[in-house]
Amino acid sequence: MKSKSAGKLPWLFLAIILLPALLLSHAGRLRAEGGEPRYFAITNARVVPVSGPVLETGTVVIANGLIQSVGASVTIPPEAWVIDGKGLTVYPGLIDAGVDLGITKPEAPVTEARGRGRRRAGAPVPEHISMGPEDRPGTSPWIVASDDFNAADKRIESWREAGFTTALVLPEDAIIAGQGSLMDLNGERVSQMIVKYHAALRIGLHPETYGFPDSLMGVISYLRQVTDDTAWYDVAAPTYAARPNGIERPNVDRTEEIMSLILHRKEFVLFPANDLVEIPRAMRLAQEWNLHAAIYGGQQSYELADQIAAKKYQVIVNLKWPEGPKDPDPEDIPSLRVLRFRDRAPGSPAALAKAGVKFAFSSGGITDPKEIQKNVRKATAAGLSSDAALRAFTLDAAEILGVADRLGSIEPGKIANLVVADDDLFAEKTKVKHVFVDGRHFEVHEIEKPHKPGDGDKPGGSPEVSDDDPEVGR
Amino acid sequence: MNRRSFATTIAVAGLLGFVAAPGVVRAGGADAKSNVTLIKNATILTITHGNIEHGSILIRDGKIAEVGSDIKAPDGATVIDASGEFILPGIIDCHSHIAVSGDVNEGGAAVTSMVNIGDVLNSEDPAIYYDLAGGVTVANVLHGSANPIGGQTIVIKLRWGKPSSELPFEGALPGIKFALGENPKWSNYRPPPGYPQRYPVTRMGVEEIIRQAFTEAKEYKKQWDDYNRRKAAGEANLIPPRRDLKLDPLVEVLEGKRYIHCHSYRSDEILMLMRVSKEFGFKVRTFQHVLEGYKIADELAAYGVGASTFSDWWAYKMEAYDAIPYNSALMTERGVVVSVNSDDSEEARHLNQEAAKAIKYGGLSENDALKLVTLNPAIQLGIDNRVGSIDVGKDADLVIYNHDPLSVYAVAQKTLIDGTVYFDRDRDIAARPAREAEKKVLLEKEKNAREEEKKKAEEKRKTDEAKKKAEQEKATPPKDKGDDSGGAR
C-alpha cells in the first residue's frame, strides 16, 4: 500500500534517503534537525490556550516539535528563535474535521438521469456490476486516506495559512469508503504528517449508478448485511481455526476481516446525516449496528439539538452552508422549507453548543479557506460564541477524534501546533502571521490569491434541498 | 421530546397550483390540550351500522368512546361543531409510495427482499400533508414493482409533524412487495447501451425467480432449524448459518408473519401466483392493481385474497388493455374484499371520489362504495380491529367533509388521527398570509446578501485592478496615451 505514494514521488524519496547521508559526514546536528530551528519562543503575546484561561501577556516555548512551556514568565532556552508577539495572539492550530486535501480524484463524468438505473454519460461500462450484497459494492474499508495522500497538493498551504494545522483527510466517498487519516499539515513527508493513521471510517449512503444497491434503502440493507456478515465471521473463523475437521470452510472475505476490527465500537465512524430525517435515522442505525459514530453533516441540528444531546452523539458540522444559486431564476421561487433551511442552518452550531453537544467543524466541500472563516462568522452571527467556535476547531475536535492528549490546546507536552494572528482569529480583517505545525515554523508573508475551485475538490453532496426530493446529501 | 414548534411548517409552492404557498400546518396547539373531544351535529357515516343524522362522536384518549345522537360534552372537552358536515372513517390507501427517502425501487436485483421501506421513511415529505388534506389517515407504503420479489413494506399513520419513527401503524403486520408482468421483467425499460439486461425478461422467468427464492428460503429455514436443534442437543464446535437478510422476510412469509402485496395485471399471472403459493405453502394477502380481477373473481374469492385496484385507469400499457372501471363492483359482487387505491400522491387526495365511481360503474351501494376506501383496505391490511369504521373502541381516525364524501363538491375540512387534528382547512388558510410574509422576508434577505457579495466582489476587483495597474506602470514607463490604460477616455 505504501509503495503507491513512493511511486508517485520517487525523487522525494531519493532525496530523503540521500540528503541525510550527505549531511551526516560533516554536520550531525543538521541531520537531526533538518536544518531548521527546533526551539522557538513567542514572547509578549496574548495566549489563548483553550484548555484554560487566556493569558493577556505570555510566552509560549516550543522545543523539538512540542510545546515546552506556557506562562507569563517562563524560561526561554538560549538557542530559541524569539518571535516578538506584541500585538499578536497565539491560538492552538485549527483542525478541519473532514476534508479531501491531498486526495486527488478522477474527473467525475456528468451524471445523466435516464429512466431507471442512472448512469454516467460517456463513462465506460464498469467491468463489474454488483448483483447483490455478496458482491460488496462500493466497499473498500482497507483503503487508508494517508496511503494515497499527495503532499504536493497546493491547497495544503492555503489551508495552513488560514490557520489549519491538522486535517482529517478522508478518502473519496463510497458506501464503505475507507479510513480517514488525521494529518498534521507540516511539510512534504507523508509519514511525518500522520497523527492518527486510522482516524475515522467514512461511510456514505450513495446508491450505485447501476446494479445493487441503486436506492438508499438498498444501501442501508447492504450495510446491515455487512454488519451481520462480520458478526458471523467473528464466530465462524475462530471456530473453524480451532478444529477444521468436519466443518465446511468459511469464505475468507477481506471486508469482513477488516470490518471486524472496526465494528462493535472499536473504531470511529463518520455517519453522514444532514437534516431532520437523516439525523434521527443515522442515530437509529448507528445504535442498531453498535457503531461508535459521529453525525457528519448536521446542518439541520438547529431543529434536533436536544434529541442529539439526549442520545449523546457528537456532530461534525459541515461548514458549507446551504445557499441559493448566485444568480437565481426569478421565476423559480424556492419553498419556504428551503428558505428556512438556508436561513437557519448557520444556527446549528449555536443550538448544539446550547444543548451541550460536542461538535467540530469540517470544511466539507469548501474550496477556498477564506470561505471557511466567512462561514464561521455566519455561525457566530447566529449565536455561537467565538470561544465555542474556537473550541470546536481545536480541543473539541481533538476530543471527538480521540487525540486530545496530544492536540487541541496550548499545554506543555502537546504537539506544537499553533496559529499566531494579529487579532481575533475569526474576525474579517485578521491576518495570520505565523503558523507552527509539529514545531515547524511557517511564516505567512502574503495572503495568496484564493485558490480557484475545480481542482477535484467537489463537495460530497449538494446541501441543497428541493421540493422534489427533500433529502439532503444523497 | 423534540416537538418541533407549531411554526415549523412546510410549503411547496406551485404543487397544488396555488399562487400562494399552500399552508402546511403542523398538528398540535389547541388540540393537544384536552384528551377529550366531542364532534357534534354531523352526519356520521359509520360504514358498519348505517348513517346517523345529527350525530356526535366522543373521543377519549385517541379512541372513539361513544357514537350516537345524544351525547353531552363532558367538562373540559374540546367541542367541534360539525353542523351540516359529514364524518367518514379516515381513508386508508392500500397502495402508496409517499414518505419515502430516495428511490421507492431497489432495482439492482430480481429479488430485493432485504431492503425495507421502514428504513427510509421520510416524515418531511409534504405528500403526507397533502394526503391528509384529502382525508387519508393510513397508507400502506409499498416498495415499487421493479422486481418479482421486491422490498419490505410498512403501514403508516399520517402523523404529520411527528418524526419518522412515530409514523408506523403500531401492531400492523409488515408486508413485502411482489410484482408480476411487465414491470419486473423490465418490458418498458432497457438498460443503457453496454449494460447487461437483468434476468428475468419473461413472465416465465418471473415465476421461476419466485420459485427459486422460496426454494432457497425453505432450505435456509431448514439450515437454521437444523442448527438450533444441534445446538440445543449440546453439540459443540458449530458454526451458525449465515444470516441472509434476503431470505429472512421470505421465511416470515412462510410462517405467516408477513403479508404479500402483489402488483399484478393479467388474470393468467394472478392464477399462476395463487398456484405457486399453494405449492410452497404461503399465502398472498392482496393482489394490487389486479386489473383483470373481474375475469377471475370467483377464484380470488375462493382463495381468500384481497383485491386492491384502480377506479378507472386503463390502457396505459399493453397489460392494462383489458382493464374496466366495473372491476371493483364486479369483484365485490362475487365476494372478494376489494379496495380502491391511489398508487400516487395526487390521486390519494380524492380517493373518496374514486370510490364514488364504483356507484356509476357497477352500481355499488353508497356504503359499499365507501367501504372500498375505509373498512375493506383495513381488512386487507389486518388492521380492521383498529380502524376502517366509526365504532366504539376503534382509533379516532376521522375525516370531516363539508358535503357527502361521495359528492364531487366534498372537501375535507378536518382530518383527525388518534383524536388529534392533523389537518384543519381553516387553520391552513389562516396561516397562509403569515407564511407568505415570512417567505418574502427570507427572499429579501437572500437578495440583500447577494447584492452585498456582488458589491464586495466589485470593490475587490477594482482595488486589485488599481494595484495591478500601479505595478504595471511602475514596471514599464507609460509610452503613449491611447492604449487601454484608461483615463484617455
Side-chain angles (χ1 to χ4, degrees):
Chain A
M1 276 183 257
K2 286 274 160 91
S3 63
K4 263 192 173 176
S5 33
K8 279 179 192 164
L9 302 164
W11 287 109
L12 184 62
F13 273 71
L14 201 63
I16 290 165
I17 294 160
L18 291 181
L19 198 66
L22 285 172
L23 292 171
L24 194 62
S25 50
H26 37 185
R29 243 184 105 244
L30 274 179
R31 178 184 168 256
E33 299 180 1
E36 291 181 23
R38 298 288 280 160
Y39 297 88
F40 294 90
I42 310 162
T43 56
N44 295 321
R46 187 167 171 265
V47 181
V48 183
V50 176
S51 52
V54 174
L55 283 171
E56 284 309 329
T57 313
T59 297
V60 182
V61 176
I62 298 167
N64 294 316
L66 301 177
I67 295 164
Q68 191 178 62
S69 52
V70 193
S73 56
V74 295
T75 319
I76 299 171
E79 61 270 63
W81 173 356
V82 177
I83 294 170
D84 183 9
K86 195 161 165 45
L88 302 178
T89 308
V90 187
Y91 298 93
L94 305 185
I95 300 170
D96 185 343
V99 65
D100 62 352
L101 286 181
I103 304 295
T104 42
K105 292 178 190 173
E107 190 83 353
V110 186
T111 306
E112 182 185 283
R114 185 180 284 184
R116 282 210 45 70
R118 297 154 300 278
R119 73 182 184 102
R120 290 176 170 185
V125 178
E127 268 174 43
H128 184 74
I129 291 168
S130 159
M131 302 303 287
E134 59 283 357
D135 288 335
R136 301 292 184 234
T139 301
S140 51
W142 49 85
I143 283 182
V144 183
S146 57
D147 288 346
D148 293 326
F149 188 80
N150 171 20
D153 186 342
K154 291 268 185 291
R155 291 181 302 157
I156 294 171
E157 192 182 352
S158 67
W159 247 252
R160 192 169 53 220
E161 294 193 341
F164 287 95
T165 58
T166 312
L168 174 61
V169 175
L170 297 176
E172 198 187 346
D173 207 4
I175 295 175
I176 302 177
Q179 284 283 352
S181 304
L182 194 65
M183 316 275 286
D184 264 357
L185 306 179
N186 66 8
E188 302 86 19
R189 263 172 267 177
V190 172
S191 59
Q192 287 185 335
M193 297 173 77
I194 298 167
V195 178
K196 201 173 184 186
Y197 187 56
H198 280 198
L201 180 78
R202 177 179 203 177
I203 60 173
L205 299 174
H206 305 290
E208 296 284 288
T209 48
Y210 196 88
F212 178 88
D214 68 0
S215 67
L216 175 63
M217 60 186 158
V219 175
I220 292 172
S221 77
Y222 169 64
L223 286 168
R224 184 176 285 128
Q225 184 71 62
V226 169
T227 60
D228 279 345
D229 286 351
T230 303
W232 177 84
Y233 188 79
D234 285 346
V235 174
T239 312
Y240 181 76
R243 210 185 71 186
N245 191 279
I247 301 179
E248 203 183 338
R249 185 178 77 259
N251 290 346
V252 174
D253 182 324
R254 180 151 67 140
T255 299
E256 290 160 21
E257 290 257 2
I258 303 215
M259 290 307 282
S260 171
L261 305 172
I262 291 167
L263 294 176
H264 313 299
R265 309 188 67 86
K266 286 180 212 150
E267 287 196 11
F268 185 52
V269 178
L270 300 183
F271 207 118
N274 212 35
D275 68 23
L276 213 46
V277 173
E278 291 172 339
I279 293 170
R281 182 189 292 144
M283 294 195 291
R284 208 162 51 241
L285 292 174
Q287 190 181 0
E288 179 190 326
W289 301 335
N290 196 20
L291 304 179
H292 167 43
I295 293 160
Y296 186 63
Q299 293 185 324
Q300 215 169 359
S301 299
Y302 60 89
E303 293 261 22
L304 295 162
D306 290 339
Q307 205 179 326
I308 296 168
K311 301 222 162 145
K312 299 190 168 59
Y313 277 89
Q314 298 169 337
V315 183
I316 294 176
V317 179
N318 183 351
L319 274 171
K320 190 167 171 57
W321 304 126
E323 277 182 338
K326 292 258 176 287
D327 200 6
D329 176 358
E331 300 287 309
D332 187 16
I333 296 172
S335 70
L336 186 53
R337 172 212 294 259
V338 170
L339 291 171
R340 278 182 178 159
F341 181 44
R342 286 183 200 158
D343 186 48
R344 295 178 190 177
S348 287
L352 290 170
K354 195 169 161 225
V357 176
K358 191 160 283 174
F359 64 95
F361 286 120
S362 104
S363 58
I366 293 177
T367 51
D368 176 1
K370 274 202 206 112
E371 190 96 355
I372 302 175
Q373 310 277 6
K374 197 176 104 191
N375 283 4
V376 174
R377 285 196 290 278
K378 283 186 186 168
T380 47
L384 183 71
S385 72
S386 51
D387 281 357
L390 179 66
R391 212 181 163 84
F393 268 118
T394 55
L395 196 53
D396 282 356
E399 277 177 16
I400 289 172
L401 295 166
V403 290
D405 51 359
R406 65 206 82 167
L407 280 181
S409 60
I410 305 180
E411 288 177 87
K414 281 200 171 181
I415 293 170
N417 283 0
L418 303 169
V419 194
V420 185
D422 65 359
D423 200 350
D424 183 275
L425 196 49
F426 302 113
E428 199 172 348
K429 304 280 182 199
T430 300
K431 285 197 165 56
V432 172
K433 295 290 189 187
H434 307 269
V435 180
F436 289 88
V437 193
D438 279 311
R440 277 191 75 181
H441 177 236
F442 295 90
E443 199 159 353
V444 182
H445 298 285
E446 178 81 15
I447 303 297
E448 276 217 11
K449 276 257 146 81
H451 183 69
K452 281 196 195 100
D455 284 28
D457 43 2
K458 293 223 171 62
S462 163
E464 192 83 10
V465 290
S466 77
D467 300 349
D468 299 329
D469 182 2
E471 278 292 288
V472 176
R474 259 198 54 197
Chain B
M1 270 310 296
N2 161 49
R3 281 309 318 122
R4 290 190 294 278
S5 68
F6 177 68
T8 306
T9 56
I10 278 173
V12 175
L15 240 163
L16 287 184
F18 293 128
V19 178
V24 182
V25 183
R26 300 280 182 171
D31 309 288
K33 269 191 293 192
S34 155
N35 59 355
V36 182
T37 306
L38 182 75
I39 312 176
K40 60 178 194 181
N41 294 332
T43 302
I44 300 171
L45 312 171
T46 67
I47 303 298
T48 45
H49 54 282
N51 299 350
I52 303 166
E53 304 282 343
H54 306 292
S56 302
I57 300 174
L58 185 71
I59 301 164
R60 184 170 283 126
D61 297 328
K63 300 276 183 190
I64 297 170
E66 274 181 76
V67 182
S69 45
D70 188 28
I71 305 171
K72 291 272 172 293
D75 283 348
T78 307
V79 178
I80 298 172
D81 187 0
S83 299
E85 299 187 314
F86 292 73
I87 306 180
L88 187 69
I91 288 175
I92 297 167
D93 187 352
C94 198
H95 191 126
S96 175
H97 298 296
I98 65 167
V100 174
S101 299
D103 212 319
V104 298
N105 270 301
E106 170 53 55
V111 179
T112 58
S113 33
M114 69 292 262
V115 312
N116 190 344
I117 290 283
D119 281 334
V120 289
L121 283 179
N122 177 3
S123 55
E124 296 298 300
D125 182 356
I128 297 173
Y129 186 76
Y130 300 148
D131 271 27
L132 278 172
V136 180
T137 55
V138 172
N140 185 26
V141 185
L142 297 177
H143 182 277
S145 53
N147 354 53
I149 297 183
Q152 300 163 49
T153 67
I154 193 161
V155 182
I156 62 169
K157 282 204 177 192
L158 306 188
R159 298 178 181 120
W160 177 244
K162 305 269 182 184
S164 303
S165 57
E166 290 178 38
L167 296 181
F169 193 119
E170 308 79 5
L173 219 56
I176 185 165
K177 180 74 176 281
F178 279 32
L180 309 174
E182 290 179 13
N183 292 11
K185 71 190 184 77
W186 283 17
S187 305
N188 306 306
Y189 168 70
R190 286 279 169 272
Y195 284 79
Q197 177 76 40
R198 197 193 72 189
Y199 180 86
V201 293
T202 64
R203 283 171 205 266
M204 293 181 288
V206 171
E207 175 177 352
E208 191 274 338
I209 284 279
I210 294 171
R211 287 175 170 276
Q212 176 70 26
F214 276 100
T215 305
E216 283 175 27
K218 287 194 152 182
E219 172 59 27
Y220 174 70
K221 184 168 151 46
K222 202 169 138 276
Q223 278 178 19
W224 272 104
D225 290 347
D226 192 40
Y227 166 77
N228 288 330
R229 206 188 55 245
R230 289 170 69 185
K231 200 177 167 204
E235 207 173 312
N237 212 33
L238 280 177
I239 295 179
R242 256 177 198 265
R243 194 175 158 214
D244 190 330
L245 296 177
K246 183 176 83 176
L247 298 177
D248 277 346
L250 298 182
V251 171
E252 287 173 358
V253 166
L254 288 166
E255 290 171 345
K257 295 174 188 162
R258 185 176 287 279
Y259 289 151
I260 294 173
H261 302 291
C262 183
H263 163 111
S264 58
Y265 281 77
R266 272 173 32 180
S267 56
D268 54 349
E269 64 188 7
I270 295 166
L271 292 171
M272 174 278 284
L273 187 62
M274 292 199 289
R275 276 196 307 272
V276 169
S277 75
K278 278 180 185 157
E279 186 185 325
F280 282 85
F282 63 87
K283 186 107 192 203
V284 181
R285 184 69 181 188
T286 68
F287 280 105
Q288 298 284 328
H289 312 324
V290 56
L291 297 185
E292 291 186 12
Y294 65 93
K295 295 183 182 176
I296 50 166
D298 288 343
E299 285 80 359
L300 293 172
Y303 181 94
V305 65
S308 186
T309 189
F310 297 136
S311 57
D312 58 353
W313 298 3
W314 66 85
Y316 47 88
K317 55 179 162 175
M318 192 61 94
E319 63 184 359
Y321 272 37
D322 273 8
I324 55 172
Y326 296 86
N327 194 27
S328 53
L330 288 172
M331 288 193 289
T332 301
E333 278 166 21
R334 291 296 188 155
V336 182
V337 176
V338 181
S339 65
V340 169
N341 65 50
S342 77
D343 196 8
D344 176 83
S345 65
E346 189 283 326
E347 187 89 348
R349 295 175 216 159
H350 46 84
L351 278 171
N352 53 319
Q353 289 171 12
E354 297 310 298
K357 288 173 184 171
I359 301 171
K360 176 167 175 62
Y361 302 106
L364 279 193
S365 73
E366 291 187 4
N367 201 59
D368 279 350
L370 288 173
K371 269 190 191 173
L372 296 175
V373 292
T374 55
L375 187 58
N376 287 2
I379 294 168
Q380 292 175 342
L381 298 173
I383 50 176
D384 52 312
N385 58 331
R386 289 271 305 275
V387 291
S389 66
I390 298 177
D391 282 298
V392 172
K394 283 200 179 183
D395 297 0
D397 291 9
L398 305 164
V399 202
I400 305 176
Y401 285 98
N402 57 349
H403 289 283
D404 187 318
L406 292 168
S407 154
V408 290
Y409 297 107
V411 176
Q413 303 298 308
K414 283 187 176 63
T415 306
L416 289 78
I417 297 174
D418 306 321
T420 302
V421 178
Y422 280 88
F423 169 77
D424 184 326
R425 194 168 173 76
D426 292 337
R427 200 160 70 193
D428 184 298
I429 291 167
R432 284 177 202 175
R435 297 170 54 78
E436 268 314 289
E438 185 187 347
K439 201 168 169 176
K440 222 173 137 186
V441 168
L442 290 174
L443 282 169
E444 195 63 27
K445 200 170 159 186
E446 286 197 348
K447 195 174 152 215
N448 292 341
R450 270 199 312 273
E451 275 166 10
E452 184 74 13
E453 283 277 301
K454 267 186 201 157
K455 226 165 76 186
K456 264 191 198 166
E458 181 63 19
E459 272 168 24
K460 193 176 177 311
R461 197 184 59 78
K462 273 185 185 157
T463 50
D464 283 358
E465 218 167 60
K467 226 189 268 172
K468 211 170 146 193
K469 209 186 287 170
E471 271 168 26
Q472 267 177 359
E473 276 168 14
K474 225 196 270 173
T476 51
K479 298 173 242 167
D480 216 20
K481 290 261 167 122
D483 58 8
D484 62 350
S485 62
R489 294 204 297 161

